[in-house]
Amino acid sequence: MRNGTLWPRLRPYAMVAPVIVGIVLFVFYPIAYLGQLSLNDYNLLNPAMSEFIGLENYVEIFQRGDFYVALRNTLVYTLGTVSITLTLAVLFALLLKRHTRLGSIVQAGIFIPHVISIVSISLVWLLMMEPSFGLINTILKALGLPTSMWLQSSETSMLSIIIVSVWHSTGYFTLIVLAALHSIPASLYEAAALDNAGPVRVFFKITLPMLSPQLFFMLIISTIGALKVFDTVNIMTGGGPNNSTTSLAYYIFQNRTSNIGYASASGIVLMVLVAVFTIIYFRILSKKVHYQ
Amino acid sequence: MSVGLAAPVLAEPGPPAPQPEVSIPPRRPWAQRIGRVLAAVLKVALLAGFIAPFLWMLSTSLQTSAESSSFPITLIPEVPQFGNYVEAMTSGPFLTYFRNSVIVTVSILVIQLALMIPAAYAFAVYDFRFKNILFGMVLLAFMIPGQVTFIPVYLMMAEWGLIQTLLPQIIPAMTNAFGVFLLRQYFMQIPREIIEAARLDNASEWRIMLRIMVPMSIPALATVVLFSFVSHWNDYFWPLVMTDSAAVRPLPIGIAMLRESEGISQWNIIMAGNVVLVVPILIVYFFAAKHIIRAFAYSGIK
């Protein structure tokens, strides 16, 4: 069979088949299944007793205040983490651009959080943000600055979660920007120097456009990552206080046992949200990306 | 890229450039020196901000319960309480958690490699019908988070009677869409002449893949394995929603559970458990930081 003319034509399919089958079975089929679940009043104890209720779950979603709270929280968190993380990543990369021994130590240091489980990170920050004996308030007090309730107040809880997430992922994005900075041809900067261009102008006219493919990649990765935020919320706040940190993913998780149909419909909404962001990015921004 | 592409950008009439605060170095060496000192101070502050939480974790793990939750805070414990570690590790089935983590992570890595290499090779080297559609599916799969699919996958696993096993943590992670993508990019950079020459020498496709392409792609493979290891070893969400009992839970869930079992006041015990979870990775990182950093940075450049 192998020496026939058939095998060479079948071979590529055989090679990609396991991966495709895995993806269909554990990504695409579950999405279809999720869609079906979302149209049912699912009975966990006896699935045969489940009842088809059409779009009722979706109608319920858009009538419930707690859903809008979760949606709003997710969008605030996404906007906050993505903008702060990417800005800091560019600033840190510019600071670390020159090859020095201190620079490479710092580079290694800021990347550590990325290889550590978010469980550990959440627990350490939970302790540091403790209002009465936490490290952060102690430092603020020592400096004569106002302290905060951090995770314990609904005013600051989302900000606290954002701080932890930014701390967790900035190192990784800084590294990507650094690698990109080092691949920009020196001749561009030499030309700019001959034109007496100032550093701000050089940054906006050379550095930023040359970084745009990486920034675009980072924007998509960090947005998808932010839209599905769950770990920090579940460990640090449990969605509280007063639902101020309930994200969409946490909302789905909360409803997963009590009301599977409703949780599934929320899952579809989360997926649509990811799709909408991705499509918007590709439509609007991909034209502005400057590929080398 | 060529300079020609950037030249029009430079020629565009932009807003008037503000004068740099630290201007042309050769004329004013003191300005340059101040700039360097300032940069060094900023770098040290940055490093402190990223290291302090780990030192804090370590210090707390050695404090008494009273020291760990009192004001003013204790920076260095009076008498290091190594017993905290014993207590943390005996308060739950730690060995079971650890064993589960090892089995799950190793299985995932081995299966991913076995499936991903041939797929990436086929996508990079062959032309076949539906190739673009199939590859598009791989890319799409990479973008869909587990937070969307976990309910149906859990129900499937329950239907198959696998919930009380480690399999729900392993099978759904068998395919690494990101790995297929990254590896294909790398394979495509390898000159076609090398493959053609090997074919002329009557090397089988299997042999070309394993003896030529794979050895030439070690950096990409290492990157993919490292990425996958870090994300699965540290994963919290997927094991949390796929497991019902301690017998099949991995380490991160075990540590998170420690907080529930010990109560909020026992920070010293919780941090001791946390150190056990973190330190092995920190040690590996300490020795391999340079390679790890390069691998992760590489993945972002496409």
Side-chain angles (χ1 to χ4, degrees):
Chain A
M1 180 173 163
R2 271 172 182 261
N3 44 23
T5 50
L6 197 57
W7 175 244
R9 278 172 55 199
L10 286 181
R11 184 165 43 211
Y13 299 103
M15 289 172 96
V16 301
V19 166
I20 297 295
V21 168
I23 286 172
V24 169
L25 198 57
F26 292 109
V27 180
F28 292 109
Y29 173 70
I31 290 174
Y33 193 176
L34 189 72
Q36 193 220 333
L37 287 170
S38 75
L39 302 175
N40 279 280
D41 183 10
Y42 190 86
N43 189 326
L44 189 60
L45 295 175
N46 185 359
M49 294 279 285
S50 299
E51 202 185 330
F52 183 82
I53 54 166
L55 294 174
E56 247 175 67
N57 284 321
Y58 292 94
V59 173
E60 193 188 337
I61 282 182
F62 290 104
Q63 282 174 347
R64 268 171 68 166
D66 59 353
F67 169 78
Y68 286 102
V69 171
L71 183 66
R72 193 185 137 266
N73 288 341
T74 307
L75 293 176
V76 167
Y77 172 87
T78 302
L79 197 72
T81 45
V82 171
S83 58
I84 300 173
T85 307
L86 297 197
T87 308
L88 285 183
V90 172
L91 290 177
F92 290 173
L94 289 173
L95 178 67
L96 298 173
K97 190 186 167 192
R98 268 167 37 92
H99 284 290
T100 60
R101 181 177 289 188
L102 180 60
S104 41
I105 294 171
V106 177
Q107 206 180 317
I110 65 174
F111 188 72
I112 292 177
H114 202 77
V115 294
I116 303 293
S117 172
I118 196 77
V119 171
S120 307
I121 285 169
S122 301
L123 289 175
V124 175
W125 278 86
L126 199 58
L127 171 61
M128 293 200 308
M129 285 175 162
E130 211 289 325
S132 53
F133 56 84
L135 183 65
I136 296 182
N137 273 356
T138 305
I139 293 173
L140 290 176
K141 253 181 235 166
L143 295 173
L145 294 168
T147 57
S148 167
M149 292 300 285
W150 300 112
L151 297 154
Q152 259 83 320
S153 146
S154 51
E155 303 280 307
T156 52
S157 53
M158 182 51 87
L159 175 70
S160 308
I161 296 274
I162 290 175
I163 290 174
V164 176
S165 303
V166 168
W167 185 84
H168 177 228
S169 53
T170 302
Y172 170 56
F173 290 114
T174 302
L175 230 58
I176 295 177
V177 181
L178 258 177
L181 278 179
H182 289 147
S183 69
I184 300 177
S187 56
L188 290 182
Y189 290 111
E190 285 155 14
L194 286 178
D195 287 349
N196 265 333
V200 174
R201 194 179 149 89
V202 168
F203 176 76
F204 283 105
K205 292 290 173 186
I206 299 179
T207 310
L208 214 51
M210 294 299 287
L211 289 180
S212 55
Q214 282 79 14
L215 289 175
F216 186 60
F217 167 82
M218 286 158 51
L219 191 63
I220 291 175
I221 296 290
S222 61
T223 303
I224 295 177
L227 287 174
K228 62 178 192 187
V229 59
F230 171 84
D231 303 348
T232 38
V233 171
N234 191 40
I235 298 169
M236 299 182 80
T237 64
N242 201 13
N243 282 336
S244 58
T245 55
T246 302
S247 66
L248 215 44
Y250 186 76
Y251 187 69
I252 300 168
F253 173 81
Q254 263 184 321
N255 289 316
R256 81 195 187 288
T257 43
S258 56
N259 194 344
I260 289 192
Y262 184 75
S264 300
S266 321
I268 294 283
V269 173
L270 175 59
M271 191 182 68
V272 169
L273 209 57
V274 171
V276 165
F277 267 92
T278 315
I279 291 168
I280 290 176
Y281 286 161
F282 271 97
R283 275 286 158 82
I284 297 178
L285 291 173
S286 61
K287 290 185 195 81
K288 300 195 172 168
V289 173
H290 180 95
Y291 286 100
Q292 294 196 27
Chain B
M1 78 147 278
S2 70
V3 183
L5 266 173
V9 180
L10 276 174
E12 266 177 31
Q19 278 308 303
E21 277 166 66
V22 183
S23 64
I24 309 108
R27 296 259 176 88
R28 289 150 69 182
W30 56 271
Q32 194 186 15
R33 199 167 301 162
I34 289 176
R36 287 220 178 137
V37 170
L38 203 65
V41 169
L42 280 175
K43 284 177 195 171
V44 171
L46 196 58
L47 186 64
F50 281 85
I51 295 291
F54 295 106
L55 298 177
W56 190 238
M57 173 177 80
L58 195 64
S59 166
T60 306
S61 76
L62 293 170
Q63 295 175 10
T64 63
S65 174
E67 281 175 324
S68 72
S69 54
S70 63
F71 187 84
I73 57 168
T74 312
L75 280 183
I76 296 162
E78 194 136 332
V79 182
Q81 307 288 318
F82 292 104
N84 292 345
Y85 286 84
V86 179
E87 191 174 338
M89 297 188 60
T90 49
S91 69
F94 247 84
L95 277 178
T96 308
Y97 295 145
F98 184 78
R99 197 204 59 191
N100 291 340
S101 274
V102 172
I103 295 175
V104 167
T105 312
V106 171
S107 312
I108 289 175
L109 291 182
V110 170
I111 300 172
Q112 278 188 354
L113 276 176
L115 301 192
M116 167 172 71
I117 293 172
Y121 183 81
F123 279 127
V125 172
Y126 300 126
D127 275 318
F128 51 98
R129 273 190 77 181
F130 309 122
K131 178 174 160 177
N132 289 337
I133 293 175
L134 292 174
F135 191 65
M137 284 168 68
V138 173
L139 290 187
L140 212 57
F142 167 53
M143 297 213 173
I144 293 165
Q147 281 79 352
V148 166
T149 52
F150 80 94
I151 293 176
V153 173
Y154 179 85
L155 294 179
M156 285 158 66
M157 294 295 171
E159 216 170 295
W160 299 343
L162 299 178
I163 289 302
Q164 294 306 325
T165 70
L166 294 172
L167 290 173
Q169 296 170 68
I170 299 171
I171 328 176
M174 288 189 315
T175 57
N176 182 344
F178 176 67
V180 172
F181 171 77
L182 197 76
L183 212 54
R184 167 186 168 268
Q185 300 294 98
Y186 210 83
F187 282 164
M188 279 172 32
Q189 288 172 10
I190 295 173
R192 289 297 292 239
E193 289 78 22
I194 295 181
I195 301 171
E196 298 300 337
R199 281 183 185 152
L200 284 177
D201 284 345
N202 270 331
S204 72
E205 293 294 304
W206 185 246
R207 208 181 148 81
I208 293 175
M209 182 178 86
L210 288 182
R211 292 295 159 91
I212 298 177
M213 302 295 261
V214 168
M216 287 180 81
S217 310
I218 293 296
L221 276 169
T223 303
V224 170
V225 170
L226 198 64
F227 246 88
S228 190
F229 173 76
V230 167
S231 69
H232 290 294
W233 180 265
N234 290 337
D235 196 14
Y236 174 66
F237 177 77
W238 196 258
L240 182 70
V241 294
M242 286 296 152
T243 59
D244 287 349
S245 69
V248 287
R249 284 188 175 130
L251 261 184
I253 311 275
I255 302 294
M257 295 263 158
L258 198 56
R259 188 169 142 239
E260 283 155 34
S261 64
E262 290 289 323
I264 198 78
S265 56
Q266 300 286 62
W267 280 112
N268 52 341
I269 309 295
I270 297 168
M271 287 304 135
N274 218 354
V275 169
V276 176
L277 181 63
V278 167
V279 161
I281 291 192
L282 277 186
I283 291 173
V284 173
Y285 183 72
F286 183 77
F287 286 107
K290 221 164 126 188
H291 303 286
I292 292 176
I293 286 177
R294 197 182 300 137
F296 273 77
Y298 166 82
S299 69
I301 307 164
K302 304 205 293 180

